[in-house]
């Protein structure tokens, strides 16, 4: 190593360049090592000379190009063993802290709207209730993780995206497209999204307040404590709005605590999150009922550890409880439902590195329990009182246990990475006693800056409790539903050169016993049913880094553009009048965003999203009566604008969402907000 790249300070070493590979010299040192690293988007948006952003980092390298190489050392969630972005055998999209800071969004759900391969169908404002899907799948077919912990709801995927953290607490979002059952279990049917929160190595405190049209306002605060190997982070947030449309008011509370400790023998981390929201649900589940109302709460607790040495043992435990209270007509008992779900999980993963690569073995026991006033099987003993309600009881219940065994072997060569693995799964609610779901991923690096990908994976998904049991004047579940299964093929390529990054991928997802809610005639209600359905499509994206290509003084930071196309092929001949989810996919989605420094500390971002959805909805008149007319979804384009003045200690910003007041629908008859102006300030207090 060149001596000019090393500085010795009080028994610590500092590298400007490094490798995260296992053979790298710093991996074998038993001393404190600090490394200056900046992420791709951060480098493209931070002025290297001024260095005055509220989230600016202390170390700036000699060139942007050098720092771009450090992205290869970022560990991403794409295998059961730690693997860097350079080694990763599948394409993983990462939205980092700079992407989040520059986006004109106030929720994780809104942020995902600008990931091209992700379909975000919003019912309420600011992500109050959001259905998130990947590659033409449904909202029940993805796994949502919080710091690697599965937080998907077995009651319904409608509630899975109730995140207990605010946008300011998110370090990055990792998006893995395609089946990932041998990584995350049965619910990772068409992909997975991992929310990674901040838990920094320095002590700090931040507060923020914000507000806008339609009575929108809120505040958030966080404190981070770090000393030696211990890190702790605590945050809280509150937001509310009168609603931009009729009966769409909401109030949200979020609280989150995260801790981590690491020494020479092991590393551990733990988290506890709580969220609560109540909201007007105007036509959310049926346009015939405009006065619907819902309240949800969520508690998440988890702990993980990993030993160091030749054999790595990584046990983890988690518990998640969801409460759901729904009224078909607000402030009445009409169509009122109460639900409570508990999910307990115990997981043990073990891996080791040897001459032929990295091998991991794992097992997980996941128990999903339900208490409900309407879902599940009738209780044979006494009913259970609903906590906090004077005269409400759970009369029904259900319970199922999933036992999964994982095996994966990764071969890491100079130009190749090959990952082979399988999931062996047993669910007490599945007819098959033991099911086998294998997969193989291959990555080839033919030259510097190039990565080629190919993969084949199988996966399954169990029906949610709502799919099985829900019954209302407009819906009827099916206790005879079979588990969904898929066999998916993926191809992709990634190219990187100075100032430019490009990615392209294609997929074919062959589905068996796919689940959807469908109507068979115009005067029918929705039924949950199985049918055969294949999804196929392609995606392409490019990012231009102006400062890397021209100079660090360039006022333009980055320009990103991406496009996704999906089509479907039904294999059965049964006539379906209308699908509510699976057949209402995004055929086209186009996203573009430009980030720039306008003047001194004034930064700006403009984003455009255009999409065209298949399917349609039954039109209702002003009296909330069905016209019997099926209306196609209209394509639409949305502009968002953000301006911010970023100083070392504070940031003041203003945003305009849906800048040109476009009228549009994401789902059914639920109107989305028009132009919405917001502003706020974040202050670093220490």
């Amino acid at each position: 190593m060149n001596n000019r790249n090393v500085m010795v300070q009080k028994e610590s070493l500092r590298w400007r360049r490094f490798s995260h590979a296992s053979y790298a010299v710093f991996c074998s040192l038993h001393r404190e090592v600090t490394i200056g690293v900046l992420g791709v988007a951060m480098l493209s948006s931070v002025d290297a000379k001024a260095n005055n952003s509220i989230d600016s980092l202390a170390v700036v390298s000699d060139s942007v190009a050098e720092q771009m190489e450090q992205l290869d050392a970022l560990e991403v969630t794409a295998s059961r063993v730690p693997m860097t972005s350079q080694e990763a055998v599948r394409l993983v999209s990462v939205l980092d802290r700079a992407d989040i800071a520059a986006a004109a969004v106030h929720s994780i759900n809104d942020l995902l709207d600008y990931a091209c391969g992700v379909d975000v169908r919003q019912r309420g404002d600011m992500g109050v209730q959001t259905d998130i899907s990947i590659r033409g799948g449904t909202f029940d077919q993805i796994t949502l993780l919080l710091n690697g912990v599965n937080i998907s709801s077995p009651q319904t995927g409608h509630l899975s995206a109730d995140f207990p953290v605010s946008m300011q607490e998110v370090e990055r979002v990792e998006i893995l497209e395609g089946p990932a059952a041998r990584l995350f279990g049965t619910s990772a049917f068409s992909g997975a999204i991992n929310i990674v929160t901040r838990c920094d190595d320095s002590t700090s405190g931040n507060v923020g307040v914000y507000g806008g049209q339609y009575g929108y306002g809120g505040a958030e605060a966080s404190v981070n404590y770090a000393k030696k190997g211990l890190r702790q982070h605590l945050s809280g947030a509150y937001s509310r709005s009168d609603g931009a449309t009729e009966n769409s008011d909401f109030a949200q509370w979020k609280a989150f605590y995260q801790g981590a400790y690491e020494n020479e023998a092991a590393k551990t981390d733990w988290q506890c999150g709580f969220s609560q929201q109540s909201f007007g649900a105007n036509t959310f589940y049926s346009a015939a009922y405009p006065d619907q109302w819902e309240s949800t709460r969520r508690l998440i607790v988890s702990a993980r550890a990993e030993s160091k040495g030749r054999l790595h043992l990584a046990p983890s435990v988690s518990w998640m409880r969801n409460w759901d209270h729904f009224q078909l007509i607000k402030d009445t008992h009409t169509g009122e439902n109460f639900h409570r779900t508990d999910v307990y999980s115990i997981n043990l993963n073990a891996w080791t590195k040897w001459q032929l690569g990295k091998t991991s073995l794992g097992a997980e026991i996941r128990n999903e329990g339900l208490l409900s006033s309407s879902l599940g099987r009738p209780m044979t003993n006494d009913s259970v009182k609903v906590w906090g309600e004077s005269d409400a009881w759970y009369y029904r219940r259900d319970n199922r246990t999933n036992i999964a065994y994982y095996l994966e072997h990764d071969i890491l060569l100079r130009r190749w990475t090959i990952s082979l693995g399988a999931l062996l799964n047993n669910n007490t609610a599945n007819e098959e006693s033991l099911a086998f779901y294998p997969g193989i991923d291959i990555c080839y690096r033919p030259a510097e800056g190039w990565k080629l990908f190919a993969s084949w994976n199988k996966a399954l998904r169990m029906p949610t409790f709502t799919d099985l049991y829900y019954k209302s004047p407009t819906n009827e579940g099916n206790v005879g539903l079979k588990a969904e299964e898929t066999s998916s093929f993926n191809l992709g390529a990634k190219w990187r050169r100075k100032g430019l990054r490009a990615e392209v991928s294609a997929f074919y997802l062959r589905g068996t016993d796919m689940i959807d809610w469908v109507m068979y005639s115009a005067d029918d209600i929705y039924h949950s049913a199985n049918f055969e359905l294949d999804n196929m499509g392609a995606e392409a994206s490019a990012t231009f880094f102006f400062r890397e290509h021209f100079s660090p003084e360039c006022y333009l930071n980055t320009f990103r553009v991406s496009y996704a196309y999906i089509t479907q092929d039904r294999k059965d001949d049964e006539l379906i009048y209308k699908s509510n989810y699976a057949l209402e996919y995004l055929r086209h989605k186009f996203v573009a965003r430009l980030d720039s420094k306008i003047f001194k500390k004034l930064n700006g971002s403009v984003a455009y999203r255009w999409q065209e959805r298949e399917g349609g909805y039954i039109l209702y008149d002003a009296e909330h009566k069905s016209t019997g007319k099926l209306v196609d979804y209209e394509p639409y384009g949305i502009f968002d604008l953000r301006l911010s003045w970023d100083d070392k200690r504070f940031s003041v910003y203003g945003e305009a969402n849906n800048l040109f007041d476009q009228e549009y629908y994401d789902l059914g008859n639920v109107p989305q907000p028009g132009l919405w102006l917001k502003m706020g300030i974040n202050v670093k207090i220490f």
Side-chain angles (χ1 to χ4, degrees), residues 45-274:
S45 60
V46 174
D47 188 325
K49 287 188 176 182
N51 195 27
N52 56 13
S53 170
I54 191 171
D55 283 323
S56 62
L57 303 182
V59 180
V60 179
S61 70
D62 296 336
S63 71
V64 175
E66 281 187 7
Q67 291 296 344
M68 292 297 298
E69 298 173 3
Q70 309 305 340
L71 179 64
D72 293 338
L74 176 68
E75 287 185 1
V76 293
T77 308
S79 67
R80 293 192 63 83
V81 300
M83 194 172 290
T84 67
S85 179
Q86 175 64 16
E87 298 169 334
V89 72
R90 298 178 66 172
L91 280 170
V92 180
S93 302
V94 179
L95 302 172
D96 69 5
R97 191 185 298 184
D99 288 314
I100 296 167
V105 297
H106 277 235
S107 72
I108 298 171
N109 315 48
D110 290 322
L111 176 68
L112 290 169
D113 245 331
Y114 287 93
C116 200
V118 179
D119 183 6
V120 180
R121 305 183 73 177
Q122 303 224 42
R123 285 182 169 88
D125 306 331
M126 307 300 168
V128 162
Q129 189 181 95
T130 305
D131 296 345
I132 301 173
S133 58
I134 293 176
R135 287 187 168 179
T138 69
F139 55 92
D140 286 319
Q141 292 176 349
I142 70 168
T143 291
L144 293 176
L145 305 110
L146 182 62
N147 295 312
V149 177
N150 187 346
I151 61 171
S152 300
S153 170
Q155 177 196 332
T156 172
H158 292 318
L159 306 181
S160 292
D162 292 349
F163 301 107
V165 294
S166 66
M167 285 284 295
Q168 290 296 318
E169 307 311 310
V170 178
E171 176 69 25
R172 67 181 184 273
V173 178
E174 301 171 346
I175 304 168
L176 176 62
E177 299 184 30
R182 62 189 176 93
L183 302 180
F184 307 117
T186 59
S187 57
F189 190 83
S190 59
I193 298 175
N194 185 28
I195 311 299
V196 181
T197 58
R198 302 172 61 171
C199 196
D200 298 333
D201 292 322
S202 59
T203 299
S204 62
N206 295 275
V207 296
V209 294
Y210 44 84
Q213 291 176 284
Y214 311 113
Y216 177 63
E220 55 193 13
S222 66
V223 59
N224 194 90
Y225 172 80
K227 185 176 182 180
K228 296 182 179 179
L230 178 64
R231 292 175 292 150
Q232 298 186 86
H233 190 92
L234 178 64
S235 65
Y238 169 77
S239 62
R240 56 92 57 205
S241 171
D242 296 330
T245 58
E246 183 183 355
N247 190 30
S248 63
D249 59 298
F250 70 86
Q252 294 178 325
W253 292 91
K254 299 177 185 290
F256 186 72
Y257 165 72
Q258 181 184 8
Y261 178 75
E262 183 172 1
N263 56 29
E264 293 183 356
K267 55 183 179 182
T268 60
D269 62 82
W270 54 92
Q271 62 183 357
C272 179
F274 178 79

Side-chain angles (χ1 to χ4, degrees), residues 532-572:
E532 311 303 301
L533 180 67
D534 296 348
N535 290 343
M536 58 207 79
E539 300 172 22
S541 66
T543 305
F544 192 80
F545 303 95
F546 293 96
R547 291 186 176 182
E548 181 184 346
H549 189 78
F550 297 109
S551 76
E553 307 299 326
C554 182
Y555 278 80
L556 295 176
N557 295 343
T558 58
F559 176 68
R560 301 172 177 84
V561 60
S562 57
Y563 169 74
Y565 170 82
I566 298 175
T567 187
Q568 290 183 338
D569 181 22
R570 276 187 58 205
K571 298 297 186 181
D572 57 275

Side-chain angles (χ1 to χ4, degrees), residues 416-431:
W416 294 86
T417 302
I418 303 173
S419 178
L420 306 97
L423 164 69
L424 196 61
N425 194 81
N426 171 253
N427 193 292
T428 56
N430 198 358
E431 293 180 356

